[in-house]
């Protein structure tokens, strides 16, 4: 079985920060998608995925990220990536997905950016 975990560590209001670790492949992508969508369904439609501990991502992992993005958007939310490993970042750039999935250098940066965007949003 492929090593994979998703741990929600910051769930406050409509925001959830989840740390993802291990491999994102055909075996784990359905679990990534299901667990992320569960957070969205629980009312955390703004989702930050910290990918610092992701060691591998294939097309199944990419598809899971796109599916999560679409579900977050359908819920009027967002999907933001943090600490994207270099290899995965290059693939996101090559495929054009980096235009859809904003990324921040760390989860802390993503949290600050989310807070700032909420402060400037119309009430």
């Amino acid at each position: 079985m492929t090593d994979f975990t998703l741990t929600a560590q910051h769930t406050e209001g409509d925001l959830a920060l989840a740390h993802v670790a291990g491999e994102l492949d055909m075996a784990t992508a359905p679990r990534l998608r299901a667990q992320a969508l569960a957070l969205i369904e629980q009312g955390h439609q703004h989702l930050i995925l910290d990918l610092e501990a992701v060691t591998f991502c294939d097309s199944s992992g990419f598809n899971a990220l796109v599916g999560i993005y679409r579900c977050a958007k359908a819920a009027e939310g967002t999907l933001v990536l943090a600490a994207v490993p270099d290899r995965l970042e290059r693939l996101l750039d090559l495929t054009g997905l980096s235009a859809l999935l904003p990324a921040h250098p760390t989860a802390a940066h993503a949290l600050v950016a989310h807070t700032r965007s909420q402060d400037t949003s119309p009430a």
Side-chain angles (χ1 to χ4, degrees), residues 102-121:
H104 294 272
T106 66
H109 282 94
L111 283 170
V112 169
H114 176 78
T115 301
R116 286 184 182 154
S117 71
Q118 295 300 301
D119 290 345
T120 59
S121 295

Side-chain angles (χ1 to χ4, degrees), residues 21-32:
E23 297 182 3
L24 302 180
D25 59 17
M26 190 169 64
T28 61
R31 287 189 282 158
L32 168 66

Side-chain angles (χ1 to χ4, degrees), residues 41-100:
E41 290 170 2
Q42 293 167 11
H44 309 296
Q45 69 265 31
H46 297 289
L47 185 59
I48 299 170
L49 292 181
D50 180 353
L51 303 179
E52 182 175 20
V54 169
T55 57
F56 175 80
C57 181
D58 69 6
S59 60
S60 300
F62 265 52
N63 286 336
L65 292 174
V66 171
I68 296 164
Y69 162 78
R70 288 182 177 156
C71 289
K73 189 171 179 173
E76 299 182 8
T78 56
L79 172 62
V80 172
L81 306 178
V84 179
D86 290 343
R87 182 182 302 161
L88 179 54
E89 186 175 17
R90 283 194 300 272
L91 291 173
L92 290 169
D93 288 341
L94 286 171
T95 59
L97 286 176
S98 58
L100 292 177

